Amino acid sequence: MIAQNTPLACLEGIGARFLVHLKRLGIETVKDLVFHFPVRYEDFTQIYPISDLEPGQQATIQGEIEEIDVRRSWRRGVVIVEATVTDETGRIRIVWFNQPYIKNTLRPGRRANFSGKVSLSDGELYLSHPTYELVGAHETRHTARLVPIYPETHGLTSKGIRYLVQPILKNIVSVDDYLPKTILDEHHLPNINEALRAIHFPDTIDAALQAKARFSFEDLFLLQLSNLRQKMALAKERAPQIKTDIGHLKQVLSELPFPLTLSQKRSLWEIIKDLERREPMNRLLQGDVGSGKTAVAALAAALAAIRGAQTAFMAPTEVLARQHFATLKKLFGPVKAMNQPIVALMTASEARVLYADDLEASMKKEELKKKIASGEIQIVVGTHALIAGKVRAKTAAAKPLAFKNLGLVIVDEQHRFGVEQRAALTARAKSARGLLPHFLSMSATPIPRTLMLTVFGDLDISIITELPAGRKNIETRVVPPEERAGAYALIRNEVLKGRQVFVVCPRIERPDLLNTKNAYLEKLKIDTKSVIEEYEKLSTKIFPDLRVAMLHGQMPASAKGRSSSGGKNGASSGKATKESVMKDFEDGKTDILVSTSVIEVGVDVPNASVMMIEGSERFGLAQLYQFRGRVGRGEYQSYCLLTTESKTKNANERLKAIVEAKNGFELAERDLKLRGPGEFLGDKQTGLPDYAMRGLQDLELVRATRAAAVAVLGRDADLAHSPALKAKLAEFRKTIHLE
């Protein structure tokens, strides 16, 4: 018998060439191979009489080889194997190309199955390149059954994988099922050994579906267990209790420059109640673009500061960090009574401090670090610079940022931070008293219900459902090539009204076909609009009289002394930085900003009223939604123009979805349905198995697995009585890395 942990190199009959191809698929052990599941099945279960065959049919026949011959075609090097096969009803010609070795197997007089497509030529039916299998004592693998089709690689076909898998499944050691029997019985699922055999070589399509259902349930169940256990472990930790005085709260809200919406108030109250608990908060603040998430988070930070607790406010980009710093400046009234520097900005390129009297100043990083460590600074806004450094570094500059009394960590666009970065922040934030800070993450990327219950299942969720008063709906249009002139006319008209415009492109520059190793592949992408190309066209041909600037990720973030943009298109000069270009746009010195996706988040220019997205079909719906949210942030009617030259049904459906969706949550559900969880989440960024990915679209399955996980942990929180499940869960956690 063969154990699952046996290396394939130790099995007889698997040559070195096979092993190289298998390794390319990540398959090195018996377990890897048997868990390399089929993606679909070809139904060759019915054996047809030759006389019943019809052109275009996928069919299996069984017959005797009457004759077989090998010849060369007039094309140099092309070898044709041609056989005649007969059964009780007739005969048929079978053809293969460049497989001369077939003649050594399919000798006259032998009986075999042939599965493939029936073709017609000059009025004669024939089988073209069918799979064949001699009829004998062994069970069929490739014909006369549901034939599994696997993920393949160069040099290794599904036929080769079937050749390896079938004998291994017959001789593999049975394993104890890690799913509790109560769960298997309740949900009518096969045990692990039955499911493994049925998913590779099912007798019926129902058996295959049952096996797939078992593995989908298993993967989601493990994900639910992982999240719930993580939540239970966090509940055992302790955090500083940050109590809010109702009088203070009323004063803070009364000093705001705008009233909070009902859902903003509800979300803030949920956060306040969490901060008062001894257990660390682990909450996700979810809301549409422009719904006021940052204001709620900033208020939480201000209330914490009043009670003497520090807040680390972390953003994925410097642009977004500066935007949050600017928002805190606007909301600074609630903590003005504290006569000391309150808020600081620290990124890789700068350090700034905002004092209680609204004075803002630059500061050396080392000095700022000392003030943070002493507790003088209550709120620190920054990028990964907040967690950069090594604890045992020899120099102070290389050590991570230290806080005196860190009580709250806020992370914006949390899916953009890797798990290791978030873990580093949490680990370093644990105080000498063993207290963890409260954790609040924010996201404007709408999350479908199934993902809320699984991928984000360890988080409590607050949702802001309304936009601030006075906001108008953004008019969204799909712009085909023949309507581009009208789009340019709308842009000019808006600029004449005093408004500003974003133009977003998928690429920075046009690919150089002469200097690429695969010019053909690059040519396929040539229609993708580039920032440099679009900037040159708009500034010199379409809008030569307007002020056009360019922004992309390869530009330096900032400079010690910001150069003047100088002239109507000076912002795009060689001296321009991302900071200077954005500052000019925010100050109204630029009419049109041509940019890459660098402006996806963190840009707040209320005067901008048009977002034109070039090659819009090349972006995901969530990203398009983020782009659209860069306009409509003031009182002006705003427009989102989705240009496309694609005629494909899929592209049209996706763009239609963003035009029709009433809000981000509805759009997220449609995006999940159209693209699937793999593209929505980015399967390489999660490590989730394929069957878990597919299961994320099934709300009932998600609910069932969560209920099962809750029941199991309710009986056995440490899984002490389920050692096989505990071991499987530990293995599962190593493979996933949810962002």
Side-chain angles (χ1 to χ4, degrees), residues 60-227:
T60 297
I61 65 168
Q62 186 177 106
E64 184 177 304
I65 299 148
E66 190 174 79
E67 58 182 9
I68 188 166
D69 192 23
V70 178
R71 60 183 174 84
R72 292 188 177 274
S73 76
W74 58 271
R75 291 182 179 178
R76 182 183 299 177
V78 177
V79 177
I80 299 175
V81 178
E82 196 168 42
T84 301
V85 174
T86 64
D87 67 5
E88 294 79 5
T89 68
R91 59 167 41 85
I92 191 169
R93 185 166 59 94
I94 300 179
V95 178
W96 295 270
F97 297 96
N98 288 331
Q99 296 187 46
Y101 55 84
I102 288 178
K103 186 179 180 182
N104 298 326
T105 303
L106 300 179
R107 296 173 183 170
R110 288 191 171 182
R111 195 165 184 80
N113 292 329
F114 302 88
S115 296
K117 185 177 181 180
V118 181
S119 300
L120 180 66
S121 177
D122 297 329
E124 179 192 11
L125 293 179
Y126 69 98
L127 282 178
S128 176
H129 219 281
T131 301
Y132 61 88
E133 198 165 21
L134 293 174
V135 175
H138 70 80
E139 180 186 359
T140 59
R141 300 179 183 131
H142 317 297
T143 62
R145 65 170 310 125
L146 285 171
V147 177
I149 306 299
Y150 296 88
E152 301 173 352
T153 186
H154 179 70
L156 183 62
T157 65
S158 290
K159 185 174 183 179
I161 296 173
R162 292 192 296 267
Y163 175 82
L164 296 174
V165 171
Q166 193 181 64
I168 286 177
L169 284 176
K170 287 185 175 181
N171 295 285
I172 196 169
V173 175
S174 294
V175 295
D176 293 334
D177 205 324
Y178 27 81
L179 284 186
K181 190 174 185 306
T182 53
I183 289 178
L184 294 176
D185 292 343
E186 181 182 353
H187 296 279
H188 310 291
L189 301 173
N191 69 45
I192 181 85
N193 301 295
E194 294 170 3
L196 278 176
R197 289 173 174 80
I199 204 163
H200 287 286
F201 294 102
D203 294 327
T204 64
I205 197 65
D206 283 344
L209 292 174
Q210 279 292 97
K212 286 185 175 184
R214 182 247 149 74
F215 289 114
S216 290
F217 187 100
E218 172 188 311
D219 289 340
L220 289 183
F221 173 69
L222 291 171
L223 179 58
Q224 301 280 22
L225 274 182
S226 177
N227 282 334

Side-chain angles (χ1 to χ4, degrees), residues 497-512:
K497 291 179 182 177
R499 307 288 80 77
Q500 291 167 278
V501 178
F502 290 104
V503 177
V504 174
C505 302
R507 299 176 71 99
I508 293 177
E509 57 188 338
R510 188 181 180 93
D512 183 357

Side-chain angles (χ1 to χ4, degrees), residues 226-272:
S226 177
N227 282 334
L228 289 172
R229 292 197 76 201
Q230 188 169 328
K231 198 167 187 175
M232 291 166 63
L234 188 65
K236 295 178 182 178
E237 296 280 358
R238 287 292 172 262
Q241 286 181 285
I242 305 173
K243 294 186 178 294
T244 296
D245 181 87
I246 297 300
H248 264 143
L249 176 60
K250 288 180 178 179
Q251 180 186 351
V252 167
L253 295 179
S254 68
E255 293 180 13
L256 289 178
F258 50 80
L260 295 184
T261 64
L262 182 62
S263 55
Q264 278 181 310
K265 290 178 180 178
R266 183 177 60 246
S267 297
L268 179 61
W269 184 248
E270 289 169 347
I271 293 167
I272 287 172

Side-chain angles (χ1 to χ4, degrees), residues 565-600:
S565 56
K568 79 182 174 192
N569 294 322
S572 62
S573 68
K575 294 181 180 180
T577 66
K578 284 185 278 189
E579 181 184 10
S580 67
V581 172
M582 276 309 309
K583 184 69 166 58
D584 283 346
F585 191 67
E586 290 167 359
D587 291 345
K589 296 178 182 178
T590 305
D591 299 316
I592 301 172
L593 180 61
V594 186
S595 174
T596 58
S597 60
V598 69
I599 57 93
E600 181 181 348

Side-chain angles (χ1 to χ4, degrees), residues 502-545:
F502 290 104
V503 177
V504 174
C505 302
R507 299 176 71 99
I508 293 177
E509 57 188 338
R510 188 181 180 93
D512 183 357
L513 300 189
L514 298 178
N515 296 319
T516 180
K517 293 182 179 178
N518 196 334
Y520 174 72
L521 291 179
E522 286 297 334
K523 192 173 181 180
L524 294 179
K525 304 174 185 175
I526 198 66
D527 60 326
T528 302
K529 296 283 185 178
S530 73
V531 166
I532 295 174
E533 183 184 19
E534 195 68 10
Y535 164 75
E536 291 173 352
K537 183 181 78 172
L538 295 180
S539 61
T540 61
K541 297 179 181 179
I542 310 298
F543 303 114
D545 54 323

